[in-house]
């Protein structure tokens, strides 16, 4: 046991220089070098010594601290049995997925997101052309749902601009001396840069990057339109309080990330179309299944199709622009 612990410690030391005592540990800190494989190695080593799971993990998973400790015991044993130990993000992610097979999908994806890890195996088996990136998000809160086709999500920050990192560090110092006015001003600066900061246990900062997501291929009624509020509530019912998997394709003219959204195994665009909560946005997406799902809802007169002649959102926006 002692030899295994020393091997695990050497693995961590080779991958990352020792941090300063005041520096936050693991991916919940603000230093880019603390994410990924080295963070997992460090946290497993710390768990073997203290039986404590990392601060901030509960923000990303749904199970209890006792369950989290069970995961880390399994992961620690699996790590020691792997020769050579994981050295790349893909290998570390594969170890987590294989070791925790049978556990809640939300927990496994949350743990991966906590360490900024992802695997090609976590994507749909067949990806459409043009896929750029996959995100595993923090749980969605209601205020981040704009309408039935646009949502803000937050992802563990792995690359942090220098000015944001300095602002986070200065905010921590301001809070330490109880200068909350200055700390709040710095928080606004961090938010304006597209990041969100939360305080985990022991006041260690959790930094997350904001992505504004436009659901690809659908167009829901605007909130000011007839059925607009109902469409937003339909989306909120599916995603509120849950972590999402988002497959990104690019950025639109409004700097929103266009992507397919999945939650608990459900393809959100499909659910919105089948429920009659959105139109197939055929001008930007020609997937035939989208048209089929919309047609099914039309025939059944579900959602917005209960109206004889619902207004198209793109026409409503054009009329609004024209006064």
């Amino acid at each position: 046991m002692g030899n295994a612990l020393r091997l695990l410690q050497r693995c961590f030391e080779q991958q990352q220089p020792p941090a300063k005592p005041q520096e936050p540990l693991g991916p919940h800190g603000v230093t880019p070098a603390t994410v990924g494989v080295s963070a997992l190695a460090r946290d497993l080593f710390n768990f073997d010594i203290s039986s404590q799971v990392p601060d901030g993990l509960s923000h990303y998973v749904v199970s209890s601290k006792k369950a989290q400790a069970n995961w880390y015991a399994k992961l620690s044993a699996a790590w020691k049995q792997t020769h050579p130990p994981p050295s790349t993000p893909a290998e570390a992610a594969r170890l987590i997925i294989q070791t925790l097979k049978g556990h809640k999908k939300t927990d496994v994806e949350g743990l991966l997101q906590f360490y900024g890890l992802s695997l090609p195996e976590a994507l749909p088996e067949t990806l459409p052309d043009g896929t750029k990136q996959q995100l595993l998000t923090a749980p969605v809160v209601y205020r981040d749902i704009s309408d039935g086709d646009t949502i803000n999500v937050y992802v563990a920050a792995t690359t942090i601009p220098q000015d944001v990192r300095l602002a986070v560090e200065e905010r921590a110092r301001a809070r330490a001396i109880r200068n909350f006015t200055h700390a709040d001003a710095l928080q606004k600066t961090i938010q304006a840069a597209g990041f969100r900061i939360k305080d985990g246990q022991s006041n260690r900062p959790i930094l997350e990057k904001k992505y504004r997501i436009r659901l690809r291929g659908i167009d829901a009624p605007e909130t000011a339109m007839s059925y607009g509020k109902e469409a937003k509530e339909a989306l909120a019912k599916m995603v509120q309080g849950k972590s999402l998997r988002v497959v990104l394709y690019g950025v639109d003219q409004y700097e929103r990330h266009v992507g397919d959204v999945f939650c608990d195994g459900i393809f959100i665009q499909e659910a919105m179309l089948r429920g009659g909560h959105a139109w197939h946005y055929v001008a930007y997406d020609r997937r035939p299944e989208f048209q089929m799902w919309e047609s099914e809802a039309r025939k059944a007169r579900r959602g917005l199709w209960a109206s004889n002649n619902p207004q198209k959102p793109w026409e409503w926006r054009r009329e609004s622009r024209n006064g």
Side-chain angles (χ1 to χ4, degrees), residues 278-320:
W279 300 70
H280 175 205
Y281 209 177
V282 68
Y284 294 96
D285 194 305
R286 298 299 180 93
R287 284 179 279 186
E289 62 270 29
F290 278 41
Q291 189 61 52
M292 178 187 70
W293 296 330
E294 181 189 296
S295 297
E296 289 178 1
R298 280 177 179 259
K299 291 177 182 178
R301 300 184 68 85
R302 299 189 195 111
L304 65 90
W305 304 115
S307 172
N308 290 327
N309 189 27
Q311 187 177 19
K312 298 178 178 66
W314 52 91
E315 292 182 353
W316 184 91
R317 290 192 293 267
R318 184 171 62 246
E319 292 176 4
S320 297

Side-chain angles (χ1 to χ4, degrees), residues 214-231:
R214 178 65 164 82
L215 275 66
R216 180 176 181 242
I218 69 170
D219 197 3
E222 303 293 335
T223 51
M225 292 177 62
S226 175
Y227 203 79
K229 293 180 180 179
E230 291 85 346

Side-chain angles (χ1 to χ4, degrees), residues 140 142 144-151 213 215 218 220 229-240 244 261 268-269 272 277:
V140 174
Y142 184 82
D144 286 322
I145 303 169
S146 301
D147 51 36
D149 57 38
T150 307
I151 183 172
I213 305 298
L215 275 66
I218 69 170
K229 293 180 180 179
E230 291 85 346
K232 176 180 176 178
E233 292 303 318
L235 178 60
K237 186 176 181 180
M238 287 186 279
V239 304
Q240 184 179 357
L244 310 178
V261 178
I268 297 300
Q269 282 103 306
M272 291 294 287
H277 309 306

